[in-house]
Amino acid sequence: MDSCKVWQWLDGRLAGGGCWIGECYSSPFANSTWVGGNKTAAAVFPPTTKAYNDSAWEVVDAPHDFLINATYSPDAPPDQAFIPRSNGWYRKHFNIPAGWKGRSIWVYFEGVFQQTVTYLNGYTLGGHASGYTSYHYRLDNVSSIVYGGENVLAIFVDGQVGTGWWYEGAGIYRHVQLVAADMVHVDVDGLSAPPEVQDAVQQAVGAEGRAVKMAAVTIPASAWVVNDGAASTSAEVTFTLLDGTTGQQVATATVPAQGVGAGAGLFFNATLAVGAAQLWEITNPHLYTLATVVTVGGAAVDATNTTLGVRSINYTADAGYFMNGEHFKIRGFCDHNNFAVVGMAVPDRVKLFAAQTLRSIGGNGRRMSHNPPEPVMLDIYDRLGVVVMDENRQFGNDPLFVMNMGAMVKRDRNHPSIVIWSYCNENGCGGNATAGAPFRDITYLYDGTRPTLGNNERNPNVNRYMDVQGFSHRTREVFEQYHEQFPDKPTFASECCSCESMRGEDVSNSSAGGPGVLEEFNADCVAAQTNDSNGLPFMSGTMVWTLFDYFGESHGWPHITSMYGQLDVAGFRKAASHWYETWWLAGVSTPDKPPLGPKYTCHIVEHWTAVGGPSRTIHAYTNAPTVELLVNGASAGNRTVASLKYGEWDSVAYAAGNLEARAYDSAGNTVATCTVVTGGAPVAVVLKVDAPSTVSGTGGVLYADGQDVALLRAEIQDKDGNVLNTANEQVVTFTVRSGPGRVLGAHNGDQRDHTPNFSPSCVAAHGLVRGVVQVTEYYAGSLSERQQLTEIDVDSGRVTKIITTDAQPQPIVVEASSPGLTSSTVTINLSTDPKDSVLQTAERSVRF
């Protein structure tokens, strides 16, 4: 009976997958990937099709993590932050202008987690099986495409599978671009231009009178030009190198016209020579722009700009890493890419905040653990002068894994920040006797200028295909033994130092739920493990695990985040961050340190409240040779501070009031002071802006692009303005009072907090709550570009409004309130000037 026919759909990657008409309630499959409806087939359509009714669906903006707002459950996977995994669908309605007919059109996904199948108007574009690699689908050659009318892109996301033991999220968690180009164009990731330093590095004086490095350079530029048209054509390519600061032309070369067949591609190669190029370095990360123009019949039909940096790198077995001919000890951090409120869908401004935080505590390196990053992260590190270890996700004798390694290298090879490629992590490097060769071969195919590494020294069959040997959480004895056994192999502590702590906790409590409560003081662990590798001259450097706490790998309910970070998951500093600022920034005098920071530091770890008991041990971090502790003005004695150490005072009797530490230089001069106080009753919520902020190196305003976010800090204070470490019960609510903004959510950074991430309210943890506020109006680009975007984006205005007038955005006013406390507001100014975008802000914020 026709009235009893049902439509049935199964993920097309599975056996028997597809869409069909079946009998009533009949299905050969009984799992969550099968969907169907017991209705007349003519009236019901699967979500892959254009006609499907999605009017009741939630409207979201990408990037988006569809798991992060789920309810935490002790029955869910602990590695996934006790958040249940699930599947999801996205549908995007958009118009393709009639004028685009005859052009090559594709949609580019920077990353969708985990396995996906994508459809255009019901037509299957393809499937993608990796949540960390970028991919694209061509649309103009799809028969169902509609020009001058509406199209629907449908994406099924299988979020029930993953590859990691940390929270990986699910959904379109990275940026997506719709691109229209001439049929003859430089292919996606088809441009390679690795600068090669040709002679000795020379010193010179650059902008603002700062010392810079110069050298003669050649740049072998190569563009893979494709012809998506139906007829052969002849094209020429011109490469022009422009100074990234002045915009002046530095060098140019043209490849004469060559034939490119229909549906084919061709390499266009040329070498540019620069007699004196300014080098990319940590204190002056100078950049160039390579403008590549494709010309057909005398007319420019395609143009692409690629950011480049010029530097030499050299890993040695005896003395470690050198950059631009100068010794460079890499002091870096690993990180998983998730953050409070947003999960895996981390906004660009938050990525800048993380990068500047890394630099502000002495970091000069970042490991992309354990997967290829979003491209914008590399763009940020290019501009800030941070060296990067780019890491592949899966390793083994699987052609897909090898292809993913190649895709990462091909996409990322022009970033000067990347100084080494990593095949694999820990156990992922083991058990594969022959996988090393294809991984090395595909890496060298796309980039032969950087060495390779794996984060495990225990598989000799793989190690011989690594140019640099990586180690994960190994001791000084292991490093020394390996160096003695393999004296010609460079070495790198690619992961170390898992020293856990919890912000605001002065006393450990092992009887508390899950892994218990860990005190904030952990300097002995940090110093010992860090120096195991950084204290050896032949080790290239150290990547500390991790910069921030992250969702997952929590070691047990009720904890939902890790405790390894130097900051918590909401970006609030823990004491360990002050140890690194002391000994990796203020305590470093070599030119491989970021050009930031004080000459001396001072930080008291513990808080001065009755919670700590009648007496307690007090620690103060400083790189000054001597530090004195005063209790309510009375000296508790001076302490000599050795390298990587601290001042310590045992059995300090508690008396309400204040602690003060005074740091003295070798001549006895006071060079730094710090104070903690007991504090009084809570009276107010005081709201501050951590980003954008010139103090954090993240700019002074938000860019009105409909995506930018502000990180707000709500502090519970007493009448004297002291932040109260004992404030753990006050619920803070963030509210947008005026302006184009919305509260994405709130978080306190505590490992045990189970508040839904998208809630605008959260209880304070040791006096602090983080609020995340996003811009909801789009002013980016010219007026005509915005008008065209409204014609393309059918869904515009449902979450983010595209402004098609010359109006300027109003500031966003946000209030933080808590019952019984005085509330406060902050005003966040917005800008339509591209110089206030995240990348341009990063470029001018090397020093802050």
Side-chain angles (χ1 to χ4, degrees):
M1 296 176 5
D2 289 343
S3 63
C4 198
K5 295 286 186 180
V6 297
W7 64 264
Q8 297 170 335
W9 180 90
L10 177 71
D11 181 355
R13 296 164 300 150
L14 303 179
C19 185
W20 64 90
I21 304 301
E23 299 301 324
C24 293
Y25 303 106
S26 69
S27 172
F29 301 97
N31 59 54
S32 60
T33 60
W34 178 87
V35 294
N38 182 29
K39 295 183 179 181
T40 303
V44 178
F45 303 90
T48 60
T49 63
K50 183 177 178 180
Y52 178 83
N53 182 4
D54 58 16
S55 59
W57 284 27
E58 179 187 7
V59 179
V60 300
D61 275 355
H64 175 252
D65 178 349
F66 66 69
L67 293 184
I68 193 58
N69 197 44
T71 300
Y72 299 104
S73 168
D75 299 322
D79 289 344
Q80 297 301 312
F82 293 97
I83 292 176
R85 288 190 179 274
S86 64
N87 297 331
W89 279 93
Y90 293 92
R91 285 170 55 85
K92 177 62 182 176
H93 298 253
F94 65 105
N95 292 324
I96 295 181
W100 286 11
K101 193 167 188 179
R103 296 175 68 77
S104 184
I105 305 170
W106 63 89
V107 58
Y108 182 86
F109 297 94
E110 291 185 358
V112 184
F113 199 87
Q114 159 69 3
Q115 298 180 3
T116 65
V117 184
T118 304
Y119 307 83
L120 180 68
N121 300 329
Y123 178 89
T124 304
L125 297 178
H128 191 73
S130 173
Y132 296 113
T133 54
S134 303
Y135 60 101
H136 66 285
Y137 295 118
R138 190 175 164 195
L139 305 182
D140 61 284
N141 60 352
V142 178
S143 59
S144 63
I145 191 171
V146 177
Y147 291 99
E150 185 174 312
N151 296 266
V152 175
L153 199 67
I155 306 158
F156 171 73
V157 181
D158 186 347
Q160 292 190 330
V161 295
T163 64
W165 50 94
W166 64 92
Y167 175 76
E168 295 181 290
I172 306 175
Y173 72 102
R174 296 181 179 178
H175 295 296
V176 183
Q177 292 99 38
L178 178 66
V179 183
D182 191 87
M183 286 294 184
V184 182
H185 58 271
V186 177
D187 198 14
V188 175
D189 300 329
L191 195 286
S192 173
E196 300 172 357
V197 176
Q198 295 299 312
D199 64 2
V201 174
Q202 304 294 322
Q203 298 291 331
V205 178
E208 301 179 8
R210 296 192 179 102
V212 299
K213 296 181 176 66
M214 311 288 290
V217 174
T218 59
I219 302 175
S222 178
W224 176 251
V225 176
V226 295
N227 178 7
D228 288 339
S232 298
T233 191
S234 181
E236 71 174 31
V237 173
T238 298
F239 301 100
T240 303
L241 188 68
L242 307 171
D243 186 279
T245 301
T246 66
Q248 294 180 341
Q249 179 176 311
V250 176
T252 188
T254 297
V255 184
Q258 301 181 64
V260 186
L266 188 70
F267 281 112
F268 287 73
N269 303 315
T271 299
L272 292 82
V274 183
Q278 184 174 335
L279 303 188
W280 185 91
E281 49 187 323
I282 186 171
T283 54
N284 294 288
H286 191 76
L287 297 173
Y288 291 89
T289 299
L290 183 66
T292 305
V293 177
V294 180
T295 301
V296 175
V301 297
D302 186 64
T304 182
N305 289 337
T306 305
T307 300
L308 303 176
V310 178
R311 82 283 180 274
S312 67
I313 59 176
N314 182 31
Y315 291 82
T316 70
D318 291 329
Y321 174 67
F322 289 77
M323 189 164 76
N324 301 329
E326 190 170 60
H327 185 260
F328 189 113
K329 180 69 81 171
I330 298 174
R331 293 179 286 270
F333 293 88
C334 308
D335 239 359
H336 285 310
N337 187 46
N338 60 57
F339 195 80
V341 176
V342 294
M344 285 283 284
V346 181
D348 294 354
R349 187 75 59 173
V350 180
K351 294 185 180 74
L352 176 59
F353 173 78
Q356 294 289 43
T357 298
L358 177 147
R359 299 176 69 242
S360 71
I361 64 173
N364 60 18
R366 166 73 194 271
R367 175 182 173 220
M368 300 300 175
S369 48
H370 304 294
N371 49 264
E374 298 92 328
V376 71
M377 292 179 69
L378 299 173
D379 292 333
I380 289 171
Y381 290 126
D382 288 345
R383 286 155 177 79
L384 293 179
V386 176
V387 300
V388 169
M389 178 185 294
D390 206 358
E391 187 160 281
N392 171 62
R393 178 68 201 102
Q394 293 173 291
F395 179 81
N397 292 314
D398 186 324
L400 175 62
F401 297 169
V402 178
M403 290 172 61
N404 285 342
M405 179 75 195
M408 177 187 78
V409 175
K410 185 180 179 184
R411 187 197 70 175
D412 297 345
R413 58 191 167 180
N414 293 312
H415 289 279
S417 56
I418 298 174
V419 297
I420 197 164
W421 306 110
S422 175
Y423 297 149
C424 51
N425 173 63
E426 293 179 343
N427 292 338
C429 301
N432 296 282
T434 60
F439 269 73
R440 184 187 64 179
D441 291 346
I442 200 165
T443 302
Y444 284 3
L445 173 66
Y446 290 118
D447 175 60
T449 69
R450 301 171 177 90
T452 59
L453 170 146
N455 186 41
N456 189 335
E457 87 289 356
R458 303 177 191 182
N459 186 344
N461 293 315
V462 175
N463 294 350
R464 62 196 179 100
Y465 295 103
M466 299 177 187
D467 301 309
V468 178
Q469 184 57 60
F471 297 84
S472 182
H473 300 284
R474 306 295 270 165
T475 64
R476 177 183 289 248
E477 290 72 24
V478 171
F479 301 144
E480 291 174 333
Q481 290 168 8
Y482 190 93
H483 182 60
E484 182 177 352
Q485 185 177 2
F486 301 98
D488 298 326
K489 187 110 178 223
T491 50
F492 199 136
S494 40
E495 181 175 333
C496 95
C497 319
S498 292
C499 300
E500 297 176 297
S501 66
M502 296 175 67
R503 178 180 63 82
E505 301 292 346
D506 290 345
V507 181
S508 293
N509 179 8
S510 60
S511 65
V517 173
L518 298 183
E519 64 184 291
E520 204 167 352
F521 174 75
N522 65 351
D524 292 333
C525 175
V526 171
Q529 293 192 22
T530 301
N531 198 47
D532 268 359
S533 51
N534 262 28
L536 295 173
F538 59 83
M539 296 294 290
S540 297
T542 300
M543 293 292 188
V544 173
W545 191 263
T546 53
L547 183 61
F548 291 88
D549 289 344
Y550 51 91
F551 288 107
E553 205 170 4
S554 67
H555 308 313
W557 184 267
H559 289 224
I560 58 168
T561 77
S562 75
M563 298 182 286
Y564 298 115
Q566 321 316 311
L567 297 90
D568 65 27
V569 74
F572 297 129
R573 294 183 68 171
K574 295 196 268 182
S577 70
H578 294 278
W579 186 94
Y580 281 106
E581 181 185 15
T582 297
W583 294 114
W584 274 21
L585 189 68
V588 172
S589 58
T590 51
D592 51 20
K593 62 173 282 187
L596 300 171
K599 185 175 180 180
Y600 293 99
T601 65
C602 183
H603 176 75
I604 299 174
V605 176
E606 289 75 22
H607 301 85
W608 199 234
T609 67
V611 176
S615 68
R616 72 284 309 269
T617 300
I618 301 296
H619 302 91
Y621 296 160
T622 181
N623 60 312
T626 306
V627 61
E628 180 184 17
L629 181 70
L630 295 94
V631 181
N632 295 324
S635 177
N638 289 14
R639 298 293 184 267
T640 299
V641 182
S643 177
L644 307 183
K645 295 297 184 177
Y646 46 83
E648 181 178 70
W649 295 263
D650 292 323
S651 302
V652 178
Y654 173 73
N658 66 80
L659 295 178
E660 181 186 6
R662 296 176 183 173
Y664 304 112
D665 65 14
S666 57
N669 300 308
T670 302
V671 291
T673 62
C674 48
T675 303
V676 295
V677 302
T678 302
V683 300
V685 180
V686 177
L687 196 53
K688 299 178 180 179
V689 181
D690 283 346
S693 168
T694 55
V695 174
S696 63
T698 55
V701 297
L702 288 182
Y703 186 46
D705 62 354
Q707 299 186 64
D708 209 353
V709 303
L711 294 180
L712 306 184
R713 169 193 298 254
E715 299 178 348
I716 307 300
Q717 295 186 359
D718 66 10
K719 64 182 179 60
D720 296 318
N722 300 307
V723 179
L724 300 176
N725 184 62
T726 55
N728 295 302
E729 299 177 354
Q730 294 78 9
V731 176
V732 176
T733 298
F734 297 90
T735 307
V736 173
R737 289 304 181 192
S738 63
R742 59 174 176 147
V743 177
L744 293 183
H747 204 290
N748 59 23
D750 190 274
Q751 288 83 357
R752 301 153 294 186
D753 186 76
H754 299 161
T755 304
N757 277 283
F758 291 174
S759 170
S761 303
C762 186
V763 66
H766 299 293
L768 300 177
V769 182
R770 171 74 70 206
V772 183
V773 173
Q774 186 171 50
V775 178
T776 57
E777 291 182 348
Y778 182 89
Y779 291 81
S782 67
L783 181 59
S784 62
E785 289 171 337
R786 280 180 268 138
Q787 289 171 338
Q788 185 181 47
L789 186 56
T790 60
E791 297 170 3
I792 295 172
D793 188 359
V794 175
D795 300 316
S796 65
R798 299 180 69 182
V799 176
T800 300
K801 183 179 180 181
I802 302 172
I803 304 302
T804 56
T805 69
D806 290 325
Q808 291 297 302
Q810 296 298 307
I812 303 171
V813 178
V814 183
E815 180 186 56
S817 60
S818 183
L821 303 181
T822 301
S823 62
S824 68
T825 62
V826 293
T827 298
I828 307 166
N829 291 319
L830 273 60
S831 169
T832 62
D833 191 333
K835 73 177 179 62
D836 292 313
S837 64
V838 168
L839 291 185
Q840 291 197 39
T841 297
E843 194 161 346
R844 66 173 184 274
S845 301
V846 174
R847 292 169 172 81
F848 62 91

